[in-house]
Amino acid sequence: MERSTVVRCAEGHVFSTAQLPMQQADRLGPSRLIRCPRCARLRNVVPVPVSVSMEKR
């Protein structure tokens, strides 16, 4: 079963992704480059805490 992660891009769009590249690599920091489905560009994304993502729904 795939585990999805809720992330926020640099433009403020919140979406879920099936995988966050190198998620276990703490030394690289929390942000990653992923293509945002809303603005269709590679954006720097950070994971959204679960409590914040549940409030948005």
Side-chain angles (χ1 to χ4, degrees), residues 3-55:
R3 186 173 165 200
S4 64
T5 304
V6 178
V7 294
R8 180 185 318 271
C9 82
E11 292 294 316
H13 302 132
V14 177
F15 59 97
S16 64
T17 180
Q19 52 183 286
L20 195 58
M22 299 175 62
Q23 192 169 10
Q24 283 73 29
D26 291 333
R27 62 186 168 84
L28 297 176
S31 64
R32 302 290 182 263
L33 277 177
I34 295 181
R35 186 168 305 279
C36 176
R38 302 267 325 268
C39 52
R41 294 180 181 211
L42 278 178
R43 297 284 186 195
N44 204 13
V45 299
V46 293
V48 176
V50 176
S51 60
V52 174
S53 65
M54 294 304 283
E55 290 174 5

